[in-house]
Amino acid sequence: MPNDRTPPTFAEACRFWLKLGCISFGGPSGQIAIMHEEVVKRRQWISEERFLHALNYCMLLPGPEAMQLATYIGWLLHRTRGGIVAGALFVLPSAGLLWGLSLIYVRWGSVPWIAAVLYGLKPAVVALIAAAVARIGTKALKTPALYSMAALSFGAIYFLNIPFPAIILAAAGLGFLGEQWRKARRTAPEDAAPARPEEISAAAPAEAAPHTRPSLRRALRVTLVSVGLWFAPVLALALWLGADHTLVQQGIFFSKAATVTFGGAYAVLPYVAQQAVENYHWLTPAQMLDGLALAETTPGPLIMVLQFAGFLGGWHQPGPLTPLLAATLGAFITTWTTFVPCFLWIFLGAPHIEQMRGNLKLTAALTAVTAAVVGVILALAVNYGRQVLTPDRQDLDWFAAVLTSVAFVGLWRWKWNVIAVVLGAGGAGLIFKMLTA
């Protein structure tokens, strides 16, 4: 086994992953904390070192890091079937619940009390995004160069409307070239960064179980199967409805998004808004914000907000299908093309983790990407904050401003629980609308 603790049975692990999928509120930080408490401290399935080793790798990947960490741990414990079960059960409860909330939204979203709850949720979402900027920025921006990278990415997406993938690629390139330049300036061997003890320990081949060792044959098999599963539903929809149908466009678009979603849901939302809102017109900016508010109230990855976008795209542009069928298929194809690539990243890349962790150029590139993501999330906070605090570019909404401020201070200073903030904000919106009706 790849761990030095007590291994669970497959059935025991399945029950845990299902439970985790139902209780994993609080965004990636909360979800990772729950996994650490359960699989390392309480159940002792893997060691602290192995957990951190897996987490560091998942932080390098596009997509939701908490879901990928669950997949990685499931793979370590029970090979491929363990990874599939862990990743799928992390997502499925949230997907089912959000489908129901999306249906309620499109059919009864104009009901006054629902509109009042959403009115209170929107300031909470702005506060959550602002807190994410502060949290990530504090950890990621350690040098003037990284602050400059964040500022440049903010200006690029907010003022120049440059696509998110282009910003990420440019940041990675600058980080790579910066490490090349620093390497050229080093003249003495002692200037090189020494390997950390955990890196040396993590790379020890004696701990590697047979299924964790890389091989060309396995890599080819994983790639062929994963890519085939990834695009099979998209091709089936194209043959059935034609390549121009909304569902096919969603499959293609969210497949692209799955390869560039570094930094989690908050970072990818500007990219989705640029395309899903402004280009494809699947939903409006206000509806995207509503979807983020609904996603905050469900367990699982926050990036499930993309399923809401797929649902509304199908509902608004059903073509020859009924709106409900098109919306359901839109939610399915969006979720499928968002999460299936995550299994490919884990099953293909995890065996090479030791090689990747020692690569200084890769580390520098990803550090620059993280700084760029801070700027992108800040642009999202400013954009959504403007919509919430000054709706229709009119006077300041004082209730929204106060609620946003209180929620932000609570999240940042007093570490309030995310679910408590979301439910409290929704309740405050409902009470305010009842009192002012």
Side-chain angles (χ1 to χ4, degrees), residues 142-169:
K142 301 295 187 181
T143 67
L146 293 177
Y147 274 101
S148 299
M149 182 69 70
L152 287 173
S153 67
F154 172 83
I157 197 165
Y158 189 79
F159 295 110
L160 303 180
N161 206 35
I162 294 176
F164 175 67
I167 294 173
I168 293 300
L169 290 175

Side-chain angles (χ1 to χ4, degrees), residues 7 11 18 30 63 82 105 135 138 144 154 172 215 279 287-288 399 428:
L18 177 59
Y105 178 85
R135 183 175 62 252
T138 300
F154 172 83
S215 70
N279 185 21
Q287 289 171 337
M288 176 64 79
F399 172 82

Side-chain angles (χ1 to χ4, degrees), residues 398-417:
W398 287 103
F399 172 82
V402 170
L403 191 56
T404 299
S405 301
V406 171
F408 175 79
V409 173
L411 289 164
W412 178 247
R413 184 176 179 85
W414 295 308
K415 311 301 180 184
W416 285 353
N417 180 272

Side-chain angles (χ1 to χ4, degrees), residues 289-315:
L289 194 59
D290 290 341
L292 187 56
L294 292 176
E296 292 279 10
T297 66
T298 63
L302 184 57
I303 206 169
M304 288 302 299
V305 65
L306 302 187
Q307 177 185 302
F308 179 83
F311 185 99
L312 260 67
W315 184 273

Side-chain angles (χ1 to χ4, degrees), residues 159-342:
F159 295 110
L160 303 180
N161 206 35
I162 294 176
F164 175 67
I167 294 173
I168 293 300
L169 290 175
L174 289 173
F176 181 87
L177 293 175
E179 176 58 29
Q180 288 278 73
W181 178 74
R182 283 188 293 270
K183 181 179 179 182
R185 293 190 62 187
R186 297 188 190 114
T187 57
E190 58 268 20
D191 290 334
R196 296 192 299 268
E198 62 268 24
E199 290 178 339
I200 297 172
S201 176
E207 296 185 6
H211 74 279
T212 66
R213 297 170 186 162
S215 70
L216 179 59
R217 180 178 179 182
R218 179 188 177 280
L220 290 174
R221 183 171 68 251
V222 166
T223 302
L224 290 174
V225 172
S226 300
V227 172
L229 289 173
W230 181 353
F231 288 102
V234 182
L235 293 175
L237 288 171
L239 292 174
W240 177 29
L241 300 170
D244 294 332
H245 194 275
T246 296
L247 298 179
V248 180
Q249 293 177 342
Q250 288 178 340
I252 295 172
F253 168 69
F254 287 108
S255 292
K256 294 177 182 178
T259 65
V260 297
T261 52
F262 296 95
Y266 290 135
V268 76
L269 282 176
Y271 174 50
V272 173
Q274 282 180 329
Q275 300 299 316
V277 175
E278 299 174 12
N279 185 21
Y280 294 107
H281 306 292
W282 293 331
L283 70 173
T284 66
Q287 289 171 337
M288 176 64 79
L289 194 59
D290 290 341
L292 187 56
L294 292 176
E296 292 279 10
T297 66
T298 63
L302 184 57
I303 206 169
M304 288 302 299
V305 65
L306 302 187
Q307 177 185 302
F308 179 83
F311 185 99
L312 260 67
W315 184 273
H316 291 150
Q317 302 175 17
L321 308 177
T322 64
L324 180 57
L325 176 58
T328 301
L329 290 175
F332 163 76
I333 198 65
T334 301
T335 303
W336 183 268
T337 54
T338 296
F339 290 102
V340 168
C342 295

Side-chain angles (χ1 to χ4, degrees), residues 358-420:
N359 191 317
L360 291 177
K361 295 177 183 177
L362 177 63
T363 301
L366 290 168
T367 299
V369 167
T370 302
V373 164
V374 173
V376 170
I377 300 175
L378 178 60
L380 176 68
V382 172
N383 187 41
Y384 279 170
R386 179 174 51 81
Q387 295 179 30
V388 171
L389 302 181
T390 56
D392 301 323
R393 299 183 181 274
Q394 295 177 356
D395 295 335
L396 177 67
D397 185 329
W398 287 103
F399 172 82
V402 170
L403 191 56
T404 299
S405 301
V406 171
F408 175 79
V409 173
L411 289 164
W412 178 247
R413 184 176 179 85
W414 295 308
K415 311 301 180 184
W416 285 353
N417 180 272
V418 172
I419 294 302

Side-chain angles (χ1 to χ4, degrees), residues 118-133:
L118 288 174
Y119 173 69
L121 286 177
K122 291 177 182 180
V125 170
V126 175
L128 285 164
I129 300 174
V133 174

